[in-house]
Amino acid sequence: MRTIYGVFGDPIAHSLSPEIHNAAFSKLGMDCTYHAFRVCKDKLKEALYGAKAMGFGGVNLTVPLKQQALEIVDADPIAKAIGAVNTVDFKEGMKGYNTDGLGAKCALEDKGVRINGSRVLIIGAGGAARAIAFQLATDGADITVANRTEQKAFSLALELSRVRPAKGCGLKDLEELIVSSDILVNCTTMGMYPDKGKTTAFSEQMHSDLTVFDIVYNPLETMLLKEAKKAGAKTITGEMMLVYQGAEAFRIWTGTKPPVDIMRKALLEGLNI
Ligand code: ATR
């Protein structure tokens, strides 16, 4: 019988996860299908138990359900540390994972970037920054979080220090911080459509040994990445995090190597940019 997967969220109509996963299932000839379901916060528990009872293979969770899911599912240590679950697997009970940070890790590794022992500067302190910071710290990176609202950077760094010592600061010393970084990850909305002309850093501040990863994917080549290229730095575009967070969920559910290129193609077609 066909296995059903899905994404729960509210709103959910814009989600491209069905395109990404259905392209992968189709490519591998798997008898599986993936759909988007509008689920509001106070129905999450019923929706998860219902999906499990109906034999779903697994689900992704998106806004506004990721944090609340921690109270319902058996979350793994990284999802607990991040404080959010985006992938639920129903094989044994109801296991919760967070593949957002894993998506960033895989996107870096895909470009041959070493994480263990690297000095990573994360700009931003919202949900995405948090997922990436915990994942990369767990993988042995030395993290500095720089954020417009300094206090949020301090708080995140303090929490990260449970995993590995980390620093928090504002944006005013960015230049010095970039000089002493191997990887810069932009987790702010700077440079995102319609503010395409904005960037968190300029080429003069960067160096050619740097890897610059912008998680903004509209546009794909942000102003930050253009500046990074000018400086001779390695660049990674934001859709790769999205592709790999989906690919890692696919791997958790199916135990099968995800067809990443097919998933990326489906995402780019769906984004239409
Ligand atoms: P997400 O959950 O997707 O990470 P978020 O929680 O809204 O999104 O976080 C957005 C991040 O972008 C925050 O770190 C925010 O900084 P503040 O904490 O100071 O709000 C950052 N951000 C948004 N606009 C910015 C701007 N114009 N300049 C600098 N940082 C900005």
Side-chain angles (χ1 to χ4, degrees):
M1 205 173 70
R2 180 165 295 180
T3 308
I4 298 172
Y5 295 87
V7 55
F8 294 173
D10 184 20
I12 198 63
H14 63 282
S15 174
L16 292 173
S17 293
E19 271 84 350
I20 299 174
H21 288 280
N22 285 324
F25 290 138
S26 163
K27 171 72 183 172
L28 300 181
M30 296 168 76
D31 192 13
C32 303
T33 182
Y34 186 111
H35 299 273
F37 299 89
R38 188 164 164 223
V39 175
C40 60
K41 261 181 158 179
D42 60 349
K43 294 283 185 240
L44 177 60
K45 190 167 182 181
E46 282 161 84
L48 284 172
Y49 277 88
K52 176 156 174 80
M54 288 189 287
F56 277 39
V59 293
N60 284 131
L61 303 177
T62 185
V63 179
L65 310 174
K66 291 184 188 186
Q67 289 80 17
Q68 199 194 336
L70 278 175
E71 295 161 22
I72 302 166
V73 308
D74 173 18
D76 84 342
I78 290 209
K80 274 191 192 150
I82 294 169
V85 168
N86 81 328
T87 300
V88 181
D89 182 40
F90 295 127
K91 278 194 287 296
E92 287 166 33
M94 215 182 264
K95 294 251 166 68
Y97 302 89
N98 190 310
T99 65
D100 289 331
L102 212 48
K105 172 192 174 171
C106 293
L108 285 161
E109 287 179 345
D110 181 57
K111 283 273 182 152
V113 179
R114 189 171 54 91
I115 292 165
N116 188 14
S118 291
R119 299 161 299 172
V120 179
L121 173 61
I122 293 185
I123 307 182
R130 197 179 162 82
I132 294 172
F134 270 104
Q135 181 68 53
L136 299 187
T138 303
D139 292 316
D142 293 323
I143 309 280
T144 300
V145 181
N147 194 48
R148 178 176 62 181
T149 311
E150 254 179 357
Q151 193 51 48
K152 283 203 225 165
F154 295 148
S155 307
L156 178 53
L158 190 66
E159 283 190 71
L160 281 169
S161 298
R162 291 201 305 254
V163 178
R164 197 174 165 83
K167 286 184 232 133
C169 57
L171 297 179
K172 67 176 183 346
D173 298 324
L174 223 45
E175 186 156 358
E176 282 165 41
L177 291 170
I178 295 172
V179 170
S180 53
S181 297
D182 304 305
I183 302 171
L184 183 163
V185 189
N186 175 51
C187 298
T188 75
T189 47
M190 290 260 277
M192 187 193 285
Y193 179 87
D195 291 323
K196 291 199 280 188
K198 291 193 176 156
T199 178
T200 40
F202 292 93
S203 60
E204 308 80 64
Q205 302 169 305
M206 301 186 214
H207 54 89
S208 58
D209 294 329
L210 190 67
T211 296
V212 179
F213 182 10
D214 197 339
I215 70 158
V216 169
Y217 55 84
N218 184 13
L220 277 188
E221 187 173 68
T222 59
M223 182 67 95
L224 174 70
L225 294 185
K226 284 187 183 145
E227 292 292 317
K229 274 189 183 164
K230 272 196 241 166
K234 192 180 265 191
T235 59
I236 304 177
T237 45
E239 90 286 4
M240 295 314 290
M241 173 160 161
L242 229 57
V243 169
Y244 274 112
Q245 66 76 26
E248 290 309 303
F250 186 95
R251 193 195 299 276
I252 288 168
W253 295 326
T254 65
T256 305
K257 185 170 178 270
V260 174
D261 291 345
I262 296 292
M263 296 172 97
R264 176 168 183 267
K265 189 163 167 275
L267 173 68
L268 292 181
E269 278 169 12
L271 286 171
N272 200 16
I273 47 175

